[in-house]
Amino acid sequence: FVEHVDEQAVESMTSYISNVLIHPGDSVLDLCSSWTSHIKDPSSLNLKRVSGLGMNAKELEANSALTDWTILDLNADKNARLPYENASFDVAMCQLSIDYLIH
C-alpha cells in the first residue's frame, strides 16, 4: 500500500483529524476509506465506531482503525445510497479521494 501525499501532508492530516475533527466517544464514517484512516492511536480516543466505506477489501482489512467496513463503489450509480441509518455518525470524512468521485 502507498500514501498518495508526502509525509508532511500525512502528519498534518493525522494531527488535524486526531486532535480537532474527532472527539472521544464519536462515531466516525471514513468515506472512500483505504488502508489508513489517519487517526493517531484510535483506541486512546475511545471512539464508538470507525466505519470505512471503500472499494478495496484488502486495503480495508488492513486498516486497524476500522471497527467495520463496507465495499461500495460510489461512482457506479449516481443515485447510490450509503448503507447506514441517518444520523449514525458524529463525523464523516473523505480524505485524499474526493477528486475520484464523479457524482
Side-chain angles (χ1 to χ4, degrees):
F1 306 122
V2 299
E3 287 285 2
H4 297 275
V5 292
D6 64 31
E7 188 175 327
Q8 183 178 3
V10 170
E11 289 173 9
S12 294
M13 185 168 33
T14 300
S15 177
Y16 176 78
I17 289 168
S18 302
N19 299 315
V20 178
L21 184 64
I22 58 178
H23 304 284
D26 277 352
S27 291
V28 179
L29 175 58
D30 185 2
L31 293 163
C32 302
S33 191
S34 184
W35 64 276
T36 181
S37 290
H38 300 103
I39 299 171
K40 185 177 182 178
D41 196 12
S43 60
S44 73
L45 290 170
N46 238 1
L47 298 172
K48 233 183 274 176
R49 176 181 185 190
V50 180
S51 298
L53 187 135
M55 293 184 2
N56 185 315
K58 288 194 184 299
E59 289 183 353
L60 294 169
E61 286 173 3
N63 187 334
S64 62
L66 300 179
T67 57
D68 60 272
W69 52 268
T70 301
I71 299 293
L72 180 64
D73 182 351
L74 295 173
N75 288 326
D77 177 2
K78 72 177 183 176
N79 296 314
R81 304 209 25 104
L82 299 180
Y84 307 105
E85 296 292 322
N86 288 342
S88 298
F89 299 98
D90 302 296
V91 174
M93 56 186 188
C94 183
Q95 319 157 57
L96 305 176
S97 295
I98 193 79
D99 51 326
Y100 295 111
L101 295 176
I102 59 173
H103 300 295

